[in-house]
Amino acid sequence: PGGLRNVVSVAGTMHDAAGQAQIVVLILNHDKAGAGRPVIDAVLQWVSRPAFTAPLPAGAAPVATR
C-alpha cells in the first residue's frame, strides 16, 4: 500500500438540509495540509446548510454551482 504525504482529503456523498445527496471532493496538497482541516470542516458544514445560503468560509471557493 502506498500513501501521499502532505495531503488531506475527503470525498463522498452527503445530504444537504433539503435531504438531497451532494457529491463532495476536497483535496489539500501542501506542506502544511493538516492546518487546512478546519477549512474542510467548514465547507462540509456549508454544504449541509439549506440551499448553500450561507457565505463560503474564508479562503474557500466553489469550482461549480448547482
Side-chain angles (χ1 to χ4, degrees):
L4 297 173
R5 291 183 303 168
N6 305 322
V7 174
V8 175
S9 65
V10 63
T13 60
M14 63 182 288
H15 290 90
D16 62 17
Q20 292 185 323
Q22 302 295 328
I23 297 170
V24 179
V25 178
L26 302 164
I27 302 169
L28 302 175
N29 183 7
H30 189 275
D31 288 340
K32 297 181 181 178
R37 289 181 191 271
V39 173
I40 289 177
D41 292 341
V43 171
L44 295 176
Q45 288 177 355
W46 174 73
V47 171
S48 70
R49 293 182 179 162
F52 303 111
T53 55
L56 275 171
V63 294
T65 59
R66 293 193 209 187

